[in-house]
Amino acid sequence: MDQTNIDGRLIVVSNAEPFQHVFDEGEVKQEKRAGGLTTGLDPMMKNSDNLWVAWGRGEADFEVTDDSEKVVVPDEETGYTLKRIELTEEEVDGFYYGFSNSSLWPICHSFPHKALLNKDNWKTYKKVNRKFAENVIEEVEPGDKIWVQDYQLALVPNMIREELPEAKIALFWHIPWPPWETFGIIPWKQELVEGMLGADFIGFHTSWLVHNFLDTVFKLGGAANRGEGLARTDSGSAIVRDIPLGIDTDFFKKTPDQAEKAEQLKEDFACSKLILGVDRLDYTKGIDRRMEAISTFFEKYPQYKNKVSFVERISPSRSRVQEYKNMREKIERMIGQINGELRGERWVPIRYFYQQLPQKELIPYYLAADIGLLTPLIDGMNLVAKEYVATREKGMLILSEFAGAAETLTEAIKVNPYNPEKVADALHQAISTPEEEQRRKFAKMKNKLNQMDIHWWRDRFLDEWELSIHSR
Ligand code: GDG
């Protein structure tokens, strides 16, 4: 990748690490971690001197690191340096499961009734953010750019700024930013926003998220200029922009091997139309509502019984949190009910997999599916929708109007995920769409994905960040 527009190194700081090390029959093995942020950012780090700082979560992570907890990933030839931070059990509970995923995650996704607002978790969140900041400060050299990622590390920008007033710091927020009356529930809202404004530059996926953030700054007594995208409080000021995360479209060009696997899947699933959902287990992904819509679909359009099958691939996530355990049980109960009621001799309405696959192995599923059905109740972006389109020449995408990806993929059939009738109608419409129209829509969407890919995103972010520094 062209590194010419970077003066110093790029230091990416995130909670999740791109690779982890595990024990496999006594040997240490490296695994690529799935997840929106890491799969999104890893391609832009390859072949560089850049540094990634993250929580070392794998059971064998610290077996392979050097004295300063660093390791080159994925390998010496194409790699970059990963610096791992070790967290205690108590820190993981309070910081990760606690404040990040039981407070900020539900609030930012507009589920305030699910939010736990626990003072001890907040204290641990601050402590761990400090740990990340200190680990970064140790590494910074003149000219480096520090790029902090996501909601787990909101306080890191200002913690670094206090020590290094001249540092170049940016933040990208990968999840939604809620309306003020929802964010305002958090007792520590002022501190959170001031922590973020230690950055010179802040990015969100879409324009409505930028609006929500600026509105929050204003309501907290700061200055917010929507025209210029400027946020200022006593602690600092930042330029705020919407820059939608793209994908590595080259990675999703099919190989003959993957095409063959896709054919095999179609045969195994014994149906004339295959509809696919791929989600991390999360209440924000709307999987239970989708099951309701599938049930409505077969009621309203019985002609599709014995012909159309759904494949739902769910990857395990946050499995220690009770809310997520309950969600899994509920989804499995619903699938059991639908299949029990409707299944034929060979035909199964919903094929369900609760397992994480390496990203490459999702490609045959994308290729096999005539329709992609992605109906999150709310989603910062939803990379899976982009990946489904990037893999294929034709098909149909049914996408929640509340996913960030809907702002770019305007040719998709947009649905309200809370309305099962409309989702059922969209399925009927998608199945009935002529091939020529499918190809036309896909060509347009693919064109946008190629133009606004992960490399575009990185360059655009870095350029706008640079401009924001010069305009100070
Ligand atoms: C968060 C935000 C935002 C690989 N194997 C599996 C799997 N993967 C890869 C997919 C995709 C990624 O994981 C999932 O990304 P999403 O964007 O769909 O969802 P989140 O994990 O919730 O990501 C989201 C993203 O950050 C980036 O900013 O778009 O809004 O919530 O690249 O190829 N995914 C699944 N199963 C696997 O087995 N579900």
Side-chain angles (χ1 to χ4, degrees), residues 39 174 205 279-280 285 357 359 379-383 387:
T39 55
H174 290 257
H205 286 302
D279 309 87
R280 209 165 37 70
K285 301 288 181 185
L357 282 185
Q359 201 179 28
D379 215 332
M381 173 55 70
N382 196 296
L383 295 178
E387 294 166 5

Side-chain angles (χ1 to χ4, degrees), residues 149-413:
Q149 310 289 328
D150 227 0
Y151 65 104
Q152 299 93 345
L153 305 178
L155 304 176
V156 170
N158 209 35
M159 287 174 172
I160 300 176
R161 175 73 64 216
E162 280 166 0
E163 290 296 314
L164 303 172
E166 299 305 319
K168 297 173 179 173
I169 309 169
L171 171 69
F172 192 84
W173 197 263
H174 290 257
I175 66 172
W177 191 274
W180 152 251
E181 57 275 25
T182 304
F183 189 77
I185 290 169
I186 304 177
W188 312 284
K189 52 187 177 271
Q190 190 93 28
E191 241 177 288
L192 278 163
V193 168
E194 286 178 358
M196 295 168 73
L197 289 176
D200 316 296
F201 186 70
I202 301 176
F204 290 90
H205 286 302
T206 66
S207 52
W208 52 276
L209 300 179
V210 170
H211 284 175
N212 284 352
F213 179 73
L214 291 176
D215 197 38
T216 300
V217 172
F218 180 69
K219 292 286 200 317
L220 286 173
N225 183 326
R226 281 199 172 185
E228 290 174 29
L230 181 70
R232 181 180 296 121
T233 65
D234 290 343
S235 75
S237 68
I239 297 284
V240 189
R241 292 274 184 272
D242 55 304
I243 307 184
L245 180 59
I247 59 168
D248 181 8
T249 46
D250 288 340
F251 181 89
F252 293 96
K253 299 230 156 71
K254 69 169 180 241
T255 63
D257 191 38
Q258 288 161 344
E260 207 176 292
K261 274 197 194 136
E263 284 306 313
Q264 188 58 51
L265 284 176
K266 279 189 122 164
E267 224 173 89
D268 293 348
F269 294 147
C271 59
S272 54
K273 289 275 178 227
L274 198 73
I275 301 172
L276 177 70
V278 175
D279 309 87
R280 209 165 37 70
L281 180 69
D282 203 292
Y283 50 86
T284 61
K285 301 288 181 185
I287 311 170
D288 50 345
R289 300 265 177 183
R290 194 178 312 155
M291 294 309 136
E292 212 180 310
I294 292 173
S295 180
T296 308
F297 167 72
F298 284 120
E299 249 169 56
K300 201 167 174 189
Y301 301 101
Q303 67 270 33
Y304 294 126
K305 284 183 191 167
N306 288 303
K307 294 192 181 86
V308 172
S309 283
F310 292 81
V311 170
E312 180 60 49
R313 288 211 62 98
I314 298 185
S315 69
S317 164
R318 303 173 196 170
S319 43
R320 270 164 62 180
V321 181
Q322 191 58 39
E323 180 78 43
Y324 287 71
K325 287 187 199 158
N326 298 346
M327 189 81 230
R328 179 182 174 194
E329 271 173 34
K330 183 177 179 195
I331 292 164
E332 291 181 354
R333 217 174 25 246
M334 291 176 93
I335 294 177
Q337 240 162 24
I338 297 171
N339 282 347
E341 234 169 73
L342 297 177
R343 72 182 302 155
E345 211 169 290
R346 262 201 86 199
W347 177 70
V348 180
I350 306 174
R351 307 275 182 167
Y352 163 70
F353 302 88
Y354 180 73
Q355 173 207 28
Q356 184 174 301
L357 282 185
Q359 201 179 28
K360 264 227 156 0
E361 290 177 34
L362 286 179
I363 295 176
Y365 283 87
Y366 294 149
L367 288 172
D370 302 283
I371 296 166
L373 179 63
L374 297 155
T375 53
L377 303 180
I378 181 166
D379 215 332
M381 173 55 70
N382 196 296
L383 295 178
V384 170
K386 292 189 166 182
E387 294 166 5
Y388 172 71
V389 173
T391 312
R392 309 175 54 90
E393 302 306 321
K394 65 180 168 82
M396 286 300 280
L397 174 65
I398 300 175
L399 183 59
S400 163
E401 57 192 327
F402 307 125
E407 206 170 80
T408 309
L409 300 174
T410 47
E411 291 75 16
I413 303 179

Side-chain angles (χ1 to χ4, degrees), residues 63-176:
E63 300 287 321
V64 294
T65 47
D66 65 15
D67 290 348
S68 50
E69 313 301 10
K70 288 182 191 143
V71 58
V72 173
V73 290
D75 53 61
E76 290 290 339
E77 221 169 279
T78 64
Y80 55 91
T81 305
L82 171 64
K83 180 182 189 187
R84 287 176 166 149
I85 297 179
E86 201 165 1
L87 299 183
T88 64
E89 274 294 303
E90 203 191 339
E91 287 172 340
V92 172
D93 276 343
F95 155 75
Y96 179 71
Y97 289 107
F99 193 72
S100 298
N101 288 327
S102 304
S103 308
L104 271 181
W105 179 270
I107 295 249
C108 286
H109 285 86
S110 295
F111 287 92
H113 56 288
K114 289 192 193 286
L116 189 75
L117 297 168
N118 172 306
K119 203 171 173 187
D120 288 336
N121 287 346
W122 164 244
K123 280 189 189 154
T124 312
Y125 179 84
K126 281 204 283 192
K127 184 176 158 213
V128 173
N129 269 242
R130 172 88 48 208
K131 204 166 180 175
F132 271 84
E134 282 165 2
N135 268 278
V136 174
I137 291 165
E138 268 171 27
E139 298 298 327
V140 179
E141 290 166 14
D144 284 352
K145 287 182 165 178
I146 306 160
W147 190 353
V148 181
Q149 310 289 328
D150 227 0
Y151 65 104
Q152 299 93 345
L153 305 178
L155 304 176
V156 170
N158 209 35
M159 287 174 172
I160 300 176
R161 175 73 64 216
E162 280 166 0
E163 290 296 314
L164 303 172
E166 299 305 319
K168 297 173 179 173
I169 309 169
L171 171 69
F172 192 84
W173 197 263
H174 290 257
I175 66 172

